[in-house]
């Protein structure tokens, strides 16, 4: 698999953060962008953010610097809830906050490596499920 093209503005932002989980952040950036190359990376809500057609879909929560969370969502505005979760398959790493919002938490690199195969499926399914939703 080829290396993802990282957004240089995001890299510069992270360089300035001096974050204790920088290696983990970089691993997640690569995983997200290598899994869904149609995503674009930018900074939103003080962390790396991933969107498709300018619609935010995944945001990395890196503050406070005690863990890293990936928030799977459909943007900042509250929207009508779908009747079912956007991903049908059950994944232990996902903490659902609504049928269109879930959070995956990583406490260290071991968590990322252990969950990477599931994470790639989640990213793929999330993009498929939300690509055409407002």
């Amino acid at each position: 698999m080829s290396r993802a093209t990282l957004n240089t503005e995001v890299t510069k932002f992270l360089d300035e953060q001096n974050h204790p989980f920088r290696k983990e952040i970089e691993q997640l950036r690569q995983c997200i962008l290598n899994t869904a190359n149609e995503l674009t990376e930018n900074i939103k809500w003080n962390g790396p953010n991933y969107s498709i057609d300018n619609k935010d879909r995944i945001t990395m929560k890196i503050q406070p610097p005690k863990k890293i969370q990936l928030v799977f969502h459909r943007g900042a505005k509250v929207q009508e809830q779908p009747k079912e979760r956007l991903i049908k398959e059950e994944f232990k790493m996902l903490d659902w906050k609504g049928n269109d919002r879930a959070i995956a938490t990583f406490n260290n690199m071991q968590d990322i490596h252990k969950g990477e195969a599931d994470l790639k499926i989640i990213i793929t399914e999330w993009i498929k499920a939300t690509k055409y939703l407002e």
Side-chain angles (χ1 to χ4, degrees):
M1 184 180 290
S2 64
R3 303 276 296 168
T5 304
L6 302 174
N7 180 314
T8 54
E9 289 178 26
V10 175
T11 301
K12 185 175 184 278
F13 169 83
L14 292 169
D15 287 345
E16 294 166 0
Q17 297 295 307
N18 194 24
H19 200 284
F21 289 102
R22 179 62 184 265
K23 288 179 183 173
E24 291 83 353
I25 292 168
E26 292 303 321
Q27 183 71 26
L28 288 169
R29 289 176 75 196
Q30 289 289 338
C31 179
I32 292 165
L33 291 169
N34 283 332
T35 301
N37 60 10
E38 67 266 45
L39 289 173
T40 55
E41 183 182 51
N42 60 15
I43 291 292
K44 195 167 269 185
W45 302 299
N46 286 318
N49 181 68
Y50 302 89
S51 58
I52 188 163
D53 298 327
N54 290 320
K55 296 174 186 158
D56 300 325
R57 294 298 179 239
I58 304 168
T59 303
M60 193 180 305
K61 184 175 182 240
I62 61 173
Q63 300 297 339
K66 296 178 174 142
K67 60 190 170 194
I68 300 168
Q69 293 182 310
L70 291 181
V71 181
F72 295 87
H73 58 88
R74 294 193 293 157
K77 294 179 184 167
V78 175
Q79 301 179 43
E80 185 177 333
Q81 284 288 304
K83 289 181 177 34
E84 297 178 355
R85 289 181 177 168
L86 292 180
I87 297 177
K88 307 289 184 260
E89 191 175 341
E90 287 291 325
F91 292 95
K92 288 181 182 177
M93 76 169 57
L94 288 181
D95 179 17
W96 287 90
K97 301 299 183 183
N99 285 342
D100 66 347
R101 184 177 167 89
I103 299 173
T105 301
F106 304 94
N107 295 303
N108 52 46
M109 189 66 84
Q110 184 180 352
D111 283 357
I112 295 169
H113 288 306
K114 192 172 82 178
E116 198 160 16
D118 280 353
L119 183 57
K120 288 177 182 181
I121 296 168
I122 292 166
I123 292 166
T124 301
E125 292 298 312
W126 194 261
I127 297 309
K128 195 185 316 177
T130 62
K131 193 169 189 170
Y132 301 107
L133 296 176
E134 281 301 294

